[in-house]
Amino acid sequence: MRGSIRKRGKTFQYRFHIRDPITNERKELSKGGFEKEKDAERAMILAMAEYEKGTLDLSGKFSFKQLSELWLEEKQGNVRESTMYSYKRALNARIMPEFERLDIKDIKPMHIHNFYQKLKKEGLSKRYISYVGTIIGSVFKKAVTLELIYKNPVENVDKPKMNKNKMKSWTADQAIEFLQVAKVRSVYYLAYFLAFNTGMRIGEVLGLHWSDIDFDAKMIHVQHTLTMVEGDYIIGPVKTESSDRHIPMSDNLIYEFEEHKKFSKNTSEDLVFRTKKGKLVDPYILRYMMKTICTELELPYIRFHDIRRTHTSILIDEGVSPKVVSQRLGHSDVSITLNIYTDVFDERQVDATDKMDQILSRGQLVVKSQKQDDTNH
């Protein structure tokens, strides 16, 4: 690598050429303002040495907008369309107005901290602020990987702490009580019955095709899900490889499917659930009716998603293996099931403790009885 020194007015400037690490184009690096030629030469040697070590800043001006566009381009095709839609919404609504035109090298941890505080003052939830912070952190992680910056400014800034909500579930009796009323009140009764029977997610329930159901083999193939893209609901593939699964059907569930297909106006040739006008069913309809019935019956309100936990707790109460439950739910690992449903297992631990205490107590009674006999003799 060769460089040169030249005099410009009353000062000296150095310059040398390198290959841009991003574009691979030939690029000139130069710096002037040195009073002496020796100072310019010394600075050039140091700059060349930094370039060889890979520590010389070659990024120039690179805005947050440019970086986020590069990040989104990489995400495209690697995440679900609904996830891309969520990323774009958060970027456009909250992140871009704050950072769009800033050079990424100028964004420091204090900027991130102040941004979190601003969102907090605007009344946004801790969950949303945390989500926004995760996106910004991922964008800057890409910049570090490309060596555009050397440290992620989000890394050491604390996001709002999330209060972990304890997941709720019903007992088998409460589930039965709800289903009895839902059968009379809701044209989508089968959706609730299906969820309680299989632990399927609401998107999986509303994305179910008749072709996914093998009545002869008594099996449901969960491979479609209802998801939102660019503000509209569409039917797409399930979220992960483990979510693509087969779930056996009971005779009662088969009967309900057959009845629904014969008599319901809220179905179609392709989808098990549609509106009377042939449109996709908005999940809000199921959630609203569920809340209404809960209020009427004075049942503790649970979300539709908590039906999965109810399904799980009932099976665990009946002694079904967590591994089997995990496969039904479409979890990639049984540990996910165990972590999500911690309090169910806490209850089982209490039962185990009581049982062990009863067993050992019987032994203590025998010992005490023998001691009393020895004393009497």
Side-chain angles (χ1 to χ4, degrees):
M1 184 190 306
R2 292 183 179 180
S4 61
I5 308 295
R6 63 178 177 175
K7 190 173 184 179
R8 304 198 66 176
K10 295 182 179 180
T11 60
F12 292 88
Q13 178 193 58
Y14 73 72
R15 59 179 181 173
F16 60 94
H17 291 86
I18 54 96
R19 286 284 178 185
D20 190 292
I22 298 176
T23 64
N24 200 36
E25 295 177 353
R26 197 164 183 266
K27 179 178 181 180
E28 180 183 279
L29 294 182
S30 63
K31 186 174 181 180
F34 299 97
E35 293 182 1
K36 298 179 180 179
E37 185 176 0
K38 287 185 178 180
D39 292 336
E41 186 175 359
R42 188 180 299 111
M44 181 178 70
I45 293 171
L46 288 173
M48 287 179 173
E50 285 187 15
Y51 173 74
E52 293 293 342
K53 290 189 295 183
T55 58
L56 183 65
D57 184 3
L58 304 173
S59 60
K61 291 287 183 180
F62 205 86
S63 70
F64 183 84
K65 182 180 180 181
Q66 289 175 296
L67 178 62
S68 62
E69 288 173 349
L70 189 151
W71 179 78
L72 282 172
E73 185 179 338
E74 185 180 76
K75 291 293 181 183
Q76 189 73 47
N78 292 320
V79 298
R80 297 174 68 193
E81 291 184 21
S82 57
T83 304
M84 282 295 294
Y85 175 66
S86 179
Y87 287 159
K88 290 177 181 177
R89 281 190 65 183
L91 280 164
N92 294 331
R94 296 293 174 182
I95 303 172
M96 285 303 183
E98 191 75 18
F99 300 110
E100 183 175 16
R101 297 183 181 181
L102 295 181
D103 189 323
I104 58 174
K105 295 191 301 300
D106 295 335
I107 300 174
K108 305 299 180 184
M110 181 57 74
H111 293 93
I112 307 299
H113 170 79
N114 291 341
F115 180 54
Y116 289 163
Q117 295 305 310
K118 179 182 177 181
L119 296 182
K120 187 177 179 182
K121 289 177 182 177
E122 290 178 7
L124 297 178
S125 69
K126 291 180 180 179
R127 182 177 297 277
Y128 184 74
I129 297 173
S130 180
Y131 176 65
V132 167
T134 299
I135 293 176
I136 300 173
S138 182
V139 171
F140 275 112
K141 185 178 179 181
K142 187 63 184 175
V144 173
T145 302
L146 295 175
E147 298 183 4
L148 297 173
I149 55 176
Y150 297 109
K151 191 171 183 180
N152 190 330
V154 180
E155 232 169 50
N156 295 321
V157 181
D158 293 331
K159 290 187 288 188
K161 290 185 178 180
M162 303 293 296
N163 297 322
K164 188 176 180 180
N165 296 324
K166 186 177 180 180
M167 297 179 69
K168 301 176 182 178
S169 71
W170 284 338
T171 63
D173 288 339
Q174 289 172 322
I176 292 169
E177 184 180 3
F178 171 84
L179 287 172
Q180 287 173 338
V181 176
K183 188 162 189 175
V184 178
R185 293 289 308 278
S186 176
V187 295
Y188 298 111
Y189 159 74
L190 175 58
Y192 299 113
F193 189 75
L194 176 61
F196 276 109
N197 267 268
T198 64
M200 289 169 63
R201 301 174 178 89
I202 192 168
E204 295 169 344
V205 168
L206 296 179
L208 186 66
H209 290 58
W210 286 112
S211 59
D212 296 333
I213 304 172
D214 188 333
F215 287 97
D216 293 329
K218 296 185 177 183
M219 195 72 67
I220 297 172
H221 184 188
V222 183
Q223 58 181 332
H224 299 105
T225 188
L226 181 77
T227 186
M228 181 174 279
V229 176
E230 302 295 335
D232 296 316
Y233 284 109
I234 66 166
I235 303 294
V238 288
K239 190 173 183 179
T240 63
E241 185 178 344
S242 57
S243 295
D244 188 323
R245 62 200 187 278
H246 290 80
I247 304 176
M249 292 189 294
S250 66
D251 290 336
N252 284 334
L253 183 54
I254 291 174
Y255 171 79
E256 293 294 348
F257 272 127
E258 290 173 341
E259 290 291 293
H260 182 77
K261 194 169 189 177
K262 286 179 184 176
F263 303 111
S264 179
K265 295 179 181 178
N266 294 84
T267 186
S268 64
E269 290 293 324
D270 58 346
L271 289 175
V272 176
F273 302 104
R274 277 196 186 271
T275 66
K276 288 181 180 179
K277 295 182 179 180
K279 295 182 179 180
L280 298 177
V281 179
D282 190 323
Y284 172 78
I285 296 174
L286 298 184
R287 293 181 179 126
Y288 178 78
M289 178 55 69
M290 188 169 183
K291 192 169 187 178
T292 301
I293 295 176
C294 286
T295 302
E296 292 176 1
L297 296 177
E298 296 184 353
L299 284 172
Y301 173 67
I302 65 171
R303 305 167 301 163
F304 192 101
H305 191 73
D306 293 325
I307 293 176
R308 279 165 65 80
R309 184 178 181 278
T310 299
H311 173 83
T312 301
S313 60
I314 291 173
L315 290 179
I316 290 175
D317 284 340
E318 294 300 317
V320 178
S321 163
K323 177 67 175 177
V324 173
V325 177
S326 177
Q327 291 170 342
R328 289 177 70 85
L329 296 175
H331 289 156
S332 59
D333 192 280
V334 69
S335 63
I336 299 174
T337 310
L338 296 176
N339 289 334
I340 291 177
Y341 305 107
T342 302
D343 50 333
V344 173
F345 290 89
D346 287 344
E347 293 171 10
R348 300 285 74 74
Q349 290 287 354
V350 171
D351 290 342
T353 300
D354 291 341
K355 288 178 181 177
M356 182 58 71
D357 183 62
Q358 292 171 10
I359 294 169
L360 296 179
S361 294
R362 290 199 298 269
Q364 288 177 332
L365 289 173
V366 172
V367 173
K368 288 180 180 178
S369 177
Q370 289 176 343
K371 286 183 177 179
Q372 287 175 351
D373 290 342
D374 292 341
T375 303
N376 293 332
H377 288 300

